[in-house]
Amino acid sequence: MRNLKSIIESPHPTIAGPCSAESREQVLTIAQRLAATGRVDVLRAGVWKPRTSPNSFEGAGDAALEWLREAREITGLPVATEVATAQHVRKATEAGVDMLWIGARTANNPFSVQEIAEALEGSQIPVFVKNPTSADVELWIGAVERLQRCGVENIGLIHRGFAGYTSVGNYRNAPLWGVALEMKRRMPHLRMICDPSHICGNREGLLSVAQQAADLDYGGVMIECHPTPDCALSDAEQQITPEELERLLGQIVWKSTSSDSTLCKSELERLRGAIDRLDEEIFSLIARRMDISDQIGAIKRQNNLTILQSNRWQEVVDRVTAHTQQLGLSKECTTKILNAIHLESIERQK
Ligand code: PEP
Ligand code: MN
């Protein structure tokens, strides 16, 4: 078996396997087909499945641990599964599972995470923490800190998207890249990998999401694969065959964060200098705008006027949007920036 530490520390490992371990035959088949691609580093499979509905398939349970052990023996691939309780941790570690992950639903619940963290005390096993389903960076950080306090040293992050944002594109769980990037910024020493399968909820979007992750300097991917995806007992719509995975992995372009070219370095330095100067100008202008908001706020208070005057605000939005459209800025970008400025302005007028 390849050394797990070296796999996890390699630039962008691939973790792949079925959403759920369904049968011995399914696990051994997928494991062998994934190993045959030569591109998979860790075999994943859910043993205990947290499902939205109790009428769904909830995993094969303890029996599947033995299938994973066999799969590892045959293919040499390290195996990973999801744990949601202390008992899962004990059973998985006793069965020799190489890597664990905490699922998104579990990451929402500090009691569960604490229980898992305590069960992991003294263990060297690598643990990946998926983002909670709610877009709450503090909750995600809290989950990591609970593990760290119990001495878990080898921790990674999995970005699998956030529930409830149905209007944000064609996703099962909207990626909200900004939330994940904030997590990366706050916990820069932890590897963040992307789970395009649960972000997309379909097969078509996988490459585009995986490529965005590669462009954002993620450290690998977790992708669900099944020998016969259409017949999968869970998450059938998003699973792909090992051969499709091989093609997809071949299309992702992983990039580096630095270059040896002096021309590239000097050009970037020059342009970044320009950006830094513009940022200073932008924020100086925003500060001047806020000064004026303060003066407007004082007049409104003296004259007993509401802070928000809807007609005036609509005029501002229309005028600025028309202007930025001419400048080639998207409506989405304009709205986000203008809203942030407006909210701060309202705050200062209170
Ligand atoms: C899974 O990986 O199959 C899973 C249940 O993921 P999540 O916790 O992201 O829903
Ligand atoms: Mn799944």
Side-chain angles (χ1 to χ4, degrees), residues 17-20 44 46 49-51 82 101 105 130 160 172 195 197-198 224 234-236 238-239:
C19 178
S20 306
R44 65 146 280 157
K49 298 300 300 177
R51 305 307 303 284
E82 173 176 346
W101 79 84
R105 292 165 187 77
K130 286 199 172 197
R160 53 79 77 197
R172 177 179 178 196
D195 171 351
S197 303
H198 290 90
E224 287 190 340
S234 59
D235 290 353
Q238 70 198 30
Q239 300 205 59

Side-chain angles (χ1 to χ4, degrees), residues 132-238:
T133 57
S134 62
D136 183 345
V137 180
E138 303 305 329
L139 195 56
W140 199 358
I141 291 175
V144 170
E145 285 176 348
R146 284 175 195 280
L147 294 173
Q148 286 172 333
R149 280 193 191 185
C150 286
V152 180
E153 281 171 8
N154 207 339
I155 302 177
L157 304 169
I158 303 176
H159 175 208
R160 53 79 77 197
F162 300 92
Y165 296 83
T166 45
S167 59
V168 184
N170 182 26
Y171 300 110
R172 177 179 178 196
N173 293 288
L176 307 185
W177 295 101
V179 177
L181 293 189
E182 175 61 8
M183 185 64 178
K184 245 161 96 60
R185 191 185 70 79
R186 297 275 295 275
M187 307 220 113
H189 303 300
L190 302 189
R191 174 186 294 269
M192 167 106 63
I193 69 169
C194 182
D195 171 351
S197 303
H198 290 90
I199 289 179
C200 295
N202 61 51
R203 297 165 193 159
E204 301 69 42
L206 296 176
L207 175 59
S208 152
V209 168
Q211 186 58 55
Q212 285 185 73
D215 288 337
L216 294 171
D217 189 28
Y218 277 45
V221 286
M222 176 187 259
I223 297 179
E224 287 190 340
C225 290
H226 193 282
T228 49
D230 288 336
C231 307
L233 299 181
S234 59
D235 290 353
E237 305 78 12
Q238 70 198 30

Side-chain angles (χ1 to χ4, degrees), residues 290 293 300 307-309 313 339-350:
M290 292 304 160
S293 291
K300 284 177 181 167
I307 295 177
L308 177 67
Q309 308 212 338
W313 174 233
N339 274 342
I341 293 174
H342 187 225
L343 286 175
E344 177 65 13
S345 171
I346 285 178
E347 199 53 40
R348 291 176 69 128
Q349 293 183 33
K350 276 183 185 163

